[in-house]
Amino acid sequence: SSFDASFDYQTAGWDDLIGAGLGQYENRDLLKSWFFYGSPYTGSFSWAASFRLDQEGIDGLAQQYALDMTWMPHENWSLKFNNFYRQGDGMVIASGPGKITEYDRRLFHNYINLSGLLSDKLELSMIFQWAILDADTKAVYDIRGHHLSPVSAVDNSFTDQRFTSQIKLRYRLGAYSDIYVVYNRGAGQFDQDVGSKEWLSELNSMWQQRDQDQLTFKVRYLF
C-alpha cells in the first residue's frame, strides 16, 4: 500500500490566465493540500482514495474527494469504478471583456469500465462516463486598473451535464488485424436553472433523449 501527502503554497501575483486577453487582476496567496492512499494491488480487489483541501479563487475554499476501485473476478475480466467530487465557492471564469464571475459550484464525475475476453480472440469492453457541474453565481467583478470592482444584480449561474457510453466488440484476426463493432450513445445538456432538478432524473432524461446514437463497423487488416 502507499500513502502520499503534499502541501503547496502559491504566492500572490497577476492572474492573466482566467481572463486571458480580457484583463489582469492581482490574485491572493493560496494554500493547497492533498492526501492519497492506495491499497495493495493484490487479490481480486484494490482501491485508492484521495482528499484535497484548497484555497481557490478570490476568497473561496474547496474540498475534493476521489475514490477509485478495481475488481478482477477473473484474470481475463476487470471492472473499474472511479468517482470524483469537488465542491467549493471559488471557481472563477471569465464572463466577458474585463469581467469575471466567481461561482459556488459542485462538480461530479463518474467513470465505469468493464472489459474482458469472451474467447481467446473476442474482446468486450463497456464504458460509461457521466459528468455534471452546478455553478451558482457568488459574485461578479469588473476588472478596472488591475483591481476587482463588484457588480450587483448579475446572475451567470449555469448547469452543464454530459454523458457518454460505449460498447465495443473486437475480434482479433492476427497481428494488427482486427474487426470492430462499436456502439456509442451520449448526450449533453446546458441550462441556467441551477439546483431545480435531481441529478439522476436529469441523467435518465438525457439517456432517453440522447443526441448521439451511433453504430460503427471497422475492419483493420495488415498485409
Coordinates of all heavy atoms in Angstrom, one line a residue, residues 90-152:
G90 N -15.1 29.0 -4.9 CA -14.1 29.9 -5.5 C -13.7 29.6 -6.9 O -12.6 29.8 -7.4
M91 N -14.6 29.0 -7.7 CA -14.4 28.8 -9.1 C -14.5 30.0 -9.9 O -15.6 30.6 -9.9 CB -15.3 27.7 -9.7 CG -15.0 27.3 -11.2 SD -16.1 26.1 -11.8 CE -17.6 27.1 -12.1
V92 N -13.5 30.5 -10.6 CA -13.5 31.8 -11.3 C -13.4 31.5 -12.8 O -12.6 30.8 -13.3 CB -12.4 32.7 -10.8 CG1 -12.4 34.0 -11.6 CG2 -12.5 33.0 -9.3
I93 N -14.4 32.2 -13.5 CA -14.4 32.0 -15.0 C -14.6 33.4 -15.6 O -15.4 34.2 -15.1 CB -15.6 31.1 -15.5 CG1 -15.4 29.7 -14.9 CG2 -15.7 31.1 -17.0 CD1 -16.6 28.8 -15.3
A94 N -13.8 33.7 -16.7 CA -14.0 35.0 -17.4 C -15.4 34.9 -18.0 O -15.8 34.0 -18.7 CB -13.0 35.1 -18.5
S95 N -16.2 36.0 -17.9 CA -17.6 36.1 -18.4 C -17.8 37.3 -19.3 O -18.9 37.7 -19.5 CB -18.5 36.1 -17.2 OG -18.2 37.1 -16.2
G96 N -16.7 37.8 -19.9 CA -16.8 38.9 -20.8 C -15.6 39.8 -20.7 O -14.8 39.6 -19.8
P97 N -15.5 40.7 -21.7 CA -14.3 41.6 -21.6 C -14.2 42.4 -20.3 O -15.2 43.1 -19.9 CB -14.6 42.5 -22.8 CG -15.5 41.8 -23.7 CD -16.3 40.9 -22.8
G98 N -13.1 42.2 -19.6 CA -12.9 42.9 -18.4 C -13.9 42.5 -17.3 O -14.1 43.3 -16.3
K99 N -14.4 41.3 -17.3 CA -15.4 40.8 -16.3 C -15.1 39.4 -16.0 O -14.8 38.5 -16.9 CB -16.8 41.0 -16.9 CG -17.9 40.8 -15.8 CD -19.3 41.0 -16.5 CE -19.4 42.4 -17.1 NZ -19.5 43.4 -16.1
I100 N -15.2 39.0 -14.7 CA -15.1 37.6 -14.2 C -16.2 37.3 -13.3 O -16.8 38.2 -12.6 CB -13.7 37.4 -13.6 CG1 -13.5 38.3 -12.3 CG2 -12.6 37.5 -14.5 CD1 -12.3 37.9 -11.5
T101 N -16.5 36.0 -13.1 CA -17.6 35.6 -12.2 C -17.0 34.5 -11.3 O -16.3 33.6 -11.8 CB -18.8 35.0 -13.0 OG1 -19.3 36.0 -13.9 CG2 -19.9 34.6 -12.0
E102 N -17.2 34.6 -10.0 CA -16.8 33.6 -9.0 C -18.1 32.8 -8.7 O -19.1 33.4 -8.4 CB -16.2 34.2 -7.8 CG -15.6 33.2 -6.8 CD -14.9 33.9 -5.7 OE1 -15.3 35.0 -5.2 OE2 -13.9 33.3 -5.2
Y103 N -17.9 31.5 -8.7 CA -19.1 30.6 -8.5 C -18.9 29.7 -7.3 O -17.8 29.3 -6.9 CB -19.2 29.6 -9.7 CG -19.5 30.3 -11.0 CD1 -18.6 30.7 -11.9 CD2 -20.9 30.5 -11.4 CE1 -18.9 31.3 -13.1 CE2 -21.2 31.1 -12.6 CZ -20.2 31.5 -13.5 OH -20.5 32.1 -14.7
D104 N -20.1 29.4 -6.7 CA -20.2 28.4 -5.7 C -20.6 27.1 -6.5 O -21.8 27.1 -7.0 CB -21.3 28.7 -4.7 CG -21.3 27.8 -3.5 OD1 -20.7 26.7 -3.6 OD2 -22.0 28.1 -2.5
R105 N -19.8 26.1 -6.6 CA -20.0 25.0 -7.6 C -19.9 23.7 -6.9 O -19.2 23.5 -5.9 CB -19.2 25.1 -8.8 CG -17.7 25.1 -8.6 CD -17.1 23.7 -8.4 NE -15.6 23.8 -8.6 CZ -14.8 24.3 -7.7 NH1 -15.3 24.6 -6.5 NH2 -13.5 24.3 -7.9
R106 N -20.6 22.7 -7.6 CA -20.4 21.3 -7.3 C -20.1 20.6 -8.6 O -20.8 20.8 -9.6 CB -21.7 20.7 -6.7 CG -22.1 21.3 -5.4 CD -23.4 20.6 -4.9 NE -24.5 20.8 -5.8 CZ -25.6 20.1 -5.8 NH1 -25.7 19.0 -5.0 NH2 -26.6 20.3 -6.7
L107 N -19.1 19.8 -8.6 CA -18.6 19.1 -9.8 C -18.5 17.6 -9.5 O -17.8 17.2 -8.5 CB -17.3 19.6 -10.3 CG -16.6 18.8 -11.4 CD1 -17.4 18.8 -12.7 CD2 -15.2 19.4 -11.7
F108 N -19.2 16.7 -10.3 CA -19.1 15.3 -10.1 C -18.8 14.6 -11.4 O -19.3 15.0 -12.4 CB -20.5 14.8 -9.5 CG -20.6 13.3 -9.4 CD1 -19.9 12.6 -8.5 CD2 -21.3 12.6 -10.3 CE1 -19.9 11.2 -8.4 CE2 -21.4 11.2 -10.2 CZ -20.7 10.5 -9.3
H109 N -17.9 13.6 -11.3 CA -17.6 12.8 -12.5 C -17.5 11.4 -12.1 O -17.0 11.0 -11.1 CB -16.2 13.2 -13.0 CG -15.8 12.5 -14.3 ND1 -15.0 11.4 -14.2 CD2 -16.2 12.6 -15.6 CE1 -14.8 10.9 -15.5 NE2 -15.5 11.7 -16.3
N110 N -18.2 10.5 -12.9 CA -18.3 9.1 -12.7 C -17.8 8.3 -13.9 O -18.1 8.7 -15.0 CB -19.7 8.7 -12.3 CG -19.9 7.2 -12.3 OD1 -20.4 6.6 -13.3 ND2 -19.5 6.6 -11.2
Y111 N -17.0 7.3 -13.7 CA -16.4 6.5 -14.8 C -16.5 5.0 -14.5 O -16.1 4.6 -13.4 CB -15.0 6.9 -15.1 CG -14.2 6.0 -16.1 CD1 -14.4 6.3 -17.4 CD2 -13.4 5.0 -15.7 CE1 -13.7 5.5 -18.4 CE2 -12.7 4.2 -16.6 CZ -12.9 4.5 -17.9 OH -12.2 3.7 -18.8
I112 N -17.1 4.2 -15.3 CA -17.3 2.8 -15.1 C -16.7 2.1 -16.4 O -17.1 2.5 -17.5 CB -18.7 2.4 -14.9 CG1 -19.3 3.1 -13.7 CG2 -18.8 0.9 -14.7 CD1 -20.8 2.9 -13.5
N113 N -15.9 1.1 -16.2 CA -15.3 0.4 -17.3 C -15.3 -1.1 -17.0 O -14.6 -1.5 -16.1 CB -13.9 0.9 -17.6 CG -13.2 0.2 -18.8 OD1 -13.9 -0.6 -19.5 ND2 -11.9 0.5 -19.0
L114 N -16.0 -1.9 -17.9 CA -16.0 -3.3 -17.8 C -15.3 -3.9 -19.0 O -15.7 -3.5 -20.1 CB -17.4 -3.9 -17.7 CG -17.6 -5.4 -17.7 CD1 -16.9 -6.1 -16.5 CD2 -19.0 -5.8 -17.8
S115 N -14.3 -4.7 -18.9 CA -13.6 -5.2 -20.0 C -13.1 -6.6 -19.7 O -12.8 -7.0 -18.6 CB -12.4 -4.3 -20.4 OG -11.5 -4.3 -19.3
G116 N -13.0 -7.4 -20.8 CA -12.6 -8.8 -20.7 C -12.6 -9.6 -22.0 O -13.0 -9.0 -23.0
L117 N -12.3 -10.9 -21.9 CA -12.3 -11.8 -23.0 C -13.5 -12.7 -23.0 O -13.8 -13.4 -22.0 CB -11.0 -12.6 -23.0 CG -9.7 -11.9 -23.1 CD1 -8.5 -12.8 -23.0 CD2 -9.6 -11.2 -24.5
L118 N -14.2 -12.7 -24.1 CA -15.3 -13.7 -24.3 C -14.8 -15.0 -24.8 O -15.4 -16.0 -24.6 CB -16.4 -13.1 -25.3 CG -17.1 -11.8 -24.8 CD1 -18.0 -11.3 -25.9 CD2 -17.9 -12.1 -23.5
S119 N -13.7 -14.9 -25.6 CA -13.0 -16.1 -26.0 C -11.5 -15.6 -26.3 O -11.1 -14.5 -26.0 CB -13.6 -16.6 -27.3 OG -13.4 -15.7 -28.4
D120 N -10.7 -16.5 -26.8 CA -9.3 -16.2 -27.0 C -9.1 -15.0 -27.9 O -8.1 -14.3 -27.8 CB -8.5 -17.4 -27.5 CG -8.4 -18.5 -26.4 OD1 -8.5 -18.2 -25.2 OD2 -8.1 -19.7 -26.8
K121 N -10.0 -14.9 -28.9 CA -9.9 -13.8 -29.9 C -10.9 -12.7 -29.8 O -10.8 -11.7 -30.6 CB -9.9 -14.5 -31.3 CG -8.7 -15.4 -31.6 CD -8.7 -15.9 -33.0 CE -7.5 -16.7 -33.3 NZ -7.5 -17.2 -34.7
L122 N -11.9 -12.9 -29.0 CA -13.0 -11.9 -28.9 C -13.0 -11.2 -27.6 O -13.1 -11.8 -26.5 CB -14.4 -12.6 -29.1 CG -15.6 -11.8 -29.2 CD1 -15.5 -10.8 -30.4 CD2 -16.9 -12.6 -29.2
E123 N -12.9 -9.8 -27.7 CA -12.8 -9.0 -26.5 C -14.1 -8.1 -26.4 O -14.6 -7.7 -27.5 CB -11.6 -8.0 -26.6 CG -10.3 -8.7 -26.6 CD -9.1 -7.7 -26.8 OE1 -9.4 -6.5 -26.8 OE2 -8.0 -8.2 -26.9
L124 N -14.5 -7.9 -25.2 CA -15.7 -7.0 -25.0 C -15.3 -5.9 -24.0 O -14.6 -6.2 -23.0 CB -16.8 -7.8 -24.4 CG -18.0 -7.0 -23.8 CD1 -18.8 -6.2 -24.9 CD2 -19.0 -7.8 -23.0
S125 N -15.7 -4.7 -24.3 CA -15.5 -3.6 -23.3 C -16.7 -2.7 -23.3 O -17.3 -2.4 -24.3 CB -14.2 -2.7 -23.7 OG -14.4 -2.0 -24.9
M126 N -17.1 -2.2 -22.1 CA -18.2 -1.4 -21.9 C -17.8 -0.2 -21.0 O -17.2 -0.4 -20.0 CB -19.4 -2.1 -21.2 CG -19.8 -3.4 -22.0 SD -21.0 -4.4 -21.1 CE -22.4 -3.2 -21.1
I127 N -18.0 1.0 -21.5 CA -17.6 2.2 -20.8 C -18.8 3.2 -20.6 O -19.6 3.4 -21.6 CB -16.5 2.9 -21.6 CG1 -15.2 2.1 -21.6 CG2 -16.1 4.3 -20.9 CD1 -14.1 2.6 -22.5
F128 N -18.9 3.7 -19.4 CA -19.9 4.8 -19.2 C -19.3 5.9 -18.4 O -18.6 5.7 -17.4 CB -21.1 4.2 -18.4 CG -22.1 5.2 -18.0 CD1 -23.1 5.5 -19.0 CD2 -22.1 5.9 -16.8 CE1 -24.1 6.4 -18.7 CE2 -23.1 6.8 -16.5 CZ -24.1 7.1 -17.5
Q129 N -19.4 7.1 -18.9 CA -18.9 8.3 -18.2 C -20.0 9.4 -18.1 O -20.8 9.6 -19.0 CB -17.8 8.9 -19.0 CG -16.5 8.1 -19.1 CD -15.4 8.8 -19.8 OE1 -14.7 9.6 -19.2 NE2 -15.2 8.5 -21.1
W130 N -20.1 10.0 -16.9 CA -21.1 11.0 -16.6 C -20.5 12.1 -15.8 O -19.8 11.9 -14.8 CB -22.2 10.3 -15.8 CG -23.3 11.2 -15.3 CD1 -23.8 12.3 -16.0 CD2 -24.0 11.2 -14.1 NE1 -24.8 12.9 -15.2 CE2 -24.9 12.2 -14.1 CE3 -23.9 10.3 -13.0 CZ2 -25.8 12.5 -13.0 CZ3 -24.8 10.6 -11.9 CH2 -25.7 11.6 -11.9
A131 N -20.7 13.3 -16.2 CA -20.2 14.5 -15.5 C -21.3 15.5 -15.4 O -22.1 15.7 -16.3 CB -19.0 15.1 -16.3
I132 N -21.3 16.2 -14.2 CA -22.3 17.3 -14.0 C -21.6 18.4 -13.2 O -20.9 18.2 -12.3 CB -23.5 16.8 -13.3 CG1 -24.5 17.9 -13.1 CG2 -23.1 16.1 -12.0 CD1 -25.9 17.4 -12.6
L133 N -21.9 19.6 -13.7 CA -21.3 20.8 -13.0 C -22.5 21.8 -12.7 O -23.2 22.3 -13.6 CB -20.3 21.5 -13.9 CG -19.8 22.9 -13.4 CD1 -19.1 22.8 -12.1 CD2 -18.9 23.5 -14.5
D134 N -22.7 22.0 -11.4 CA -23.6 23.1 -11.0 C -22.8 24.3 -10.5 O -22.0 24.2 -9.6 CB -24.5 22.6 -9.8 CG -25.7 21.8 -10.2 OD1 -26.1 21.9 -11.3 OD2 -26.3 21.1 -9.3
A135 N -23.0 25.4 -11.2 CA -22.3 26.6 -10.8 C -23.3 27.7 -10.5 O -24.0 28.3 -11.4 CB -21.4 27.0 -12.0
D136 N -23.3 28.1 -9.2 CA -24.2 29.2 -8.8 C -23.4 30.5 -8.6 O -22.4 30.5 -7.8 CB -24.9 28.7 -7.5 CG -26.1 29.6 -7.1 OD1 -26.5 30.4 -7.9 OD2 -26.6 29.4 -6.0
T137 N -23.9 31.5 -9.2 CA -23.1 32.8 -9.1 C -22.9 33.3 -7.6 O -23.9 33.4 -6.9 CB -23.8 33.9 -9.9 OG1 -23.9 33.5 -11.3 CG2 -23.1 35.2 -9.8
K138 N -21.7 33.5 -7.3 CA -21.4 34.0 -5.9 C -21.1 35.5 -6.0 O -21.6 36.3 -5.2 CB -20.1 33.3 -5.4 CG -19.7 33.9 -4.0 CD -18.4 33.1 -3.6 CE -17.8 33.7 -2.3 NZ -16.6 33.1 -1.9
A139 N -20.4 36.0 -7.0 CA -20.1 37.4 -7.2 C -19.6 37.6 -8.6 O -19.0 36.7 -9.2 CB -19.0 37.9 -6.2
V140 N -19.9 38.8 -9.2 CA -19.4 39.2 -10.5 C -18.5 40.5 -10.3 O -18.9 41.4 -9.5 CB -20.6 39.5 -11.4 CG1 -20.0 39.9 -12.8 CG2 -21.4 38.2 -11.6
Y141 N -17.4 40.5 -11.0 CA -16.5 41.6 -10.8 C -16.1 42.2 -12.2 O -15.9 41.5 -13.2 CB -15.2 41.2 -10.1 CG -15.4 40.7 -8.8 CD1 -15.6 39.3 -8.6 CD2 -15.3 41.5 -7.6 CE1 -15.7 38.8 -7.3 CE2 -15.5 41.0 -6.4 CZ -15.7 39.6 -6.2 OH -15.8 39.1 -4.9
D142 N -15.9 43.5 -12.2 CA -15.3 44.2 -13.4 C -13.8 44.4 -13.0 O -13.5 44.6 -11.8 CB -15.9 45.6 -13.6 CG -17.2 45.5 -14.4 OD1 -17.4 44.6 -15.2 OD2 -18.0 46.4 -14.2
I143 N -12.9 44.2 -14.0 CA -11.5 44.4 -13.8 C -11.2 45.8 -14.3 O -11.3 46.2 -15.4 CB -10.7 43.4 -14.6 CG1 -11.1 42.0 -14.2 CG2 -9.2 43.6 -14.4 CD1 -10.4 40.9 -15.1
R144 N -10.9 46.7 -13.3 CA -10.6 48.1 -13.6 C -9.3 48.5 -13.0 O -9.1 48.4 -11.8 CB -11.7 49.0 -13.0 CG -13.1 48.7 -13.5 CD -14.1 49.6 -12.8 NE -15.5 49.3 -13.4 CZ -16.6 49.9 -12.8 NH1 -16.5 50.7 -11.8 NH2 -17.8 49.6 -13.4
G145 N -8.3 48.8 -13.9 CA -7.0 49.1 -13.4 C -6.3 48.1 -12.6 O -5.7 48.3 -11.6
H146 N -6.5 46.8 -13.0 CA -5.9 45.6 -12.3 C -6.5 45.4 -10.9 O -6.0 44.6 -10.1 CB -4.4 45.8 -12.2 CG -3.7 45.9 -13.5 ND1 -3.9 45.0 -14.5 CD2 -2.8 46.8 -13.9 CE1 -3.1 45.3 -15.5 NE2 -2.5 46.4 -15.2
H147 N -7.7 46.0 -10.7 CA -8.4 45.8 -9.4 C -9.8 45.3 -9.7 O -10.3 45.5 -10.8 CB -8.4 47.0 -8.6 CG -7.1 47.5 -8.1 ND1 -6.4 46.9 -7.2 CD2 -6.4 48.6 -8.6 CE1 -5.2 47.6 -7.0 NE2 -5.2 48.6 -7.8
L148 N -10.4 44.6 -8.8 CA -11.7 44.0 -9.0 C -12.8 44.9 -8.3 O -12.7 45.2 -7.2 CB -11.8 42.6 -8.3 CG -10.8 41.6 -8.9 CD1 -11.0 40.2 -8.2 CD2 -11.1 41.4 -10.4
S149 N -13.8 45.2 -9.1 CA -14.9 46.1 -8.7 C -16.2 45.2 -8.7 O -16.6 44.8 -9.8 CB -15.0 47.3 -9.5 OG -16.1 48.1 -9.1
P150 N -16.8 45.0 -7.6 CA -18.1 44.1 -7.6 C -19.2 44.7 -8.4 O -19.4 46.0 -8.5 CB -18.4 44.1 -6.1 CG -17.2 44.4 -5.3 CD -16.5 45.4 -6.2
V151 N -19.9 43.9 -9.1 CA -21.1 44.3 -9.9 C -22.3 43.6 -9.3 O -22.3 42.4 -9.0 CB -20.9 43.8 -11.4 CG1 -22.1 44.2 -12.2 CG2 -19.6 44.4 -12.0
S152 N -23.3 44.3 -9.1 CA -24.5 43.8 -8.4 C -25.6 43.4 -9.5 O -25.5 43.8 -10.6 CB -25.1 44.8 -7.4 OG -25.4 46.0 -8.1

